[in-house]
Amino acid sequence: TPSSPYAKRATGAFHAQDGASASPSAHSPPAPKSDVLLHVYHCDAVTGFLNQAVLLHAEIPIYHVGVEVYGREWSFQYFENAWHDASISGVQTCQPRRASGYEYVRSVNLGPTRLPEAEVIAIITALRFEWPACSYHITRRNCVSFAEELVSRLGTPEAFPTWLRAILDASKNNAAADTIMDYTWAMSKWWMARNRPGGAAHALERRASLSSSFGCLSFMDYSGCTSLVKASN
């Protein structure tokens, strides 16, 4: 929020209602590595247009969200051909503000975590097992709900912004809308599985070409994002 003592340390300041893109400011001091930042993205050109034209005004914008801590950004996603393999983690990492396939909008600084880097790594390692890619649900278990869970475990001084989860709350509080979204999501998963044959093995192979420029699941490697990661043997 504008009154947050950490707001000036966020990269790209704009208020939630503005709807305008933002980029890192040359006058903003760099955030300490222990600061926890939410990086907000338009999911694609269509949702970006809808956000600015309709959804922001209705206070139910749709965003992709990643969480940065100790120099890495973490998020949760699904893979179109891995719905039946619970060993593939949906927890992915990339360079801050560089999530592939999304349009960066803004960042929100929630202040520093008191946890040392080693404890944060342990938390994320546990989350990799708890959040398999096949468990993704468009309104019940997605990148926003993952970000909120991670932020909760990091113990930030600032609360997770309510406006980021507005679309989730709208679905949760409307039984008819939730039923429609659940049915639509089930049909979408069926369609993706039908048009992406080969299962998890194909998914791993399809993303292997990305791994040459993507880093390992490590805070010490800043080369880029990880791709498909096995959560268990």
Side-chain angles (χ1 to χ4, degrees):
T1 60
S3 60
S4 167
Y6 309 104
K8 291 183 179 180
R9 299 209 302 236
T11 53
F14 94 103
H15 302 317
Q17 65 269 27
D18 292 344
S21 296
S23 58
S25 169
H27 303 291
S28 299
K33 285 192 173 183
S34 61
D35 274 16
V36 178
L37 294 99
L38 299 177
H39 298 308
V40 183
Y41 304 81
H42 290 314
C43 296
D44 50 43
V46 174
T47 56
F49 171 77
L50 290 174
N51 279 339
Q52 297 193 35
V54 179
L55 297 177
L56 275 171
H57 300 287
E59 298 185 344
I60 51 170
I62 299 173
Y63 293 113
H64 172 73
V65 181
V67 180
E68 178 188 348
V69 61
Y70 287 116
R72 295 295 294 178
E73 179 177 333
W74 304 89
S75 64
F76 178 63
Q77 64 186 70
Y78 66 87
F79 299 100
E80 294 180 355
N81 44 7
W83 293 114
H84 303 293
D85 190 344
S87 70
I88 296 176
S89 179
V91 178
Q92 305 296 307
T93 183
C94 69
Q95 291 185 34
R97 304 186 304 278
R98 297 292 185 270
S100 178
Y102 300 99
E103 178 189 352
Y104 173 75
V105 177
R106 68 169 294 193
S107 297
V108 180
N109 193 321
L110 301 181
T113 178
R114 294 184 177 181
L115 302 178
E117 186 172 346
E119 287 190 34
V120 172
I121 293 174
I123 288 172
I124 292 171
T125 299
L127 289 172
R128 289 181 57 231
F129 288 91
E130 297 170 18
W131 291 74
C134 64
S135 69
Y136 188 100
H137 188 283
I138 194 166
T139 57
R140 299 173 185 171
R141 189 177 175 87
N142 57 23
C143 63
V144 176
S145 50
F146 171 79
E148 189 171 26
E149 173 68 17
L150 177 53
V151 165
S152 174
R153 297 197 190 191
L154 294 175
T156 59
E158 296 291 319
F160 192 86
T162 56
W163 57 268
L164 272 178
R165 55 169 297 112
I167 191 70
L168 310 186
D169 292 336
S171 177
K172 180 180 179 181
N173 296 329
N174 187 315
D178 185 62
T179 299
I180 292 171
M181 290 301 297
D182 188 46
Y183 177 79
T184 302
W185 181 240
M187 291 298 296
S188 298
K189 288 172 61 177
W190 171 83
W191 179 258
M192 284 184 277
R194 181 176 182 272
N195 288 276
R196 296 289 189 274
H202 177 72
L204 286 165
E205 180 182 354
R206 185 167 69 90
R207 291 181 176 264
S209 61
L210 300 178
S211 63
S212 61
S213 60
F214 287 175
C216 299
L217 191 64
S218 167
F219 280 67
M220 303 307 294
D221 184 349
Y222 296 90
S223 59
C225 299
T226 58
S227 54
L228 217 58
V229 179
K230 283 280 186 177
S232 62
N233 294 327

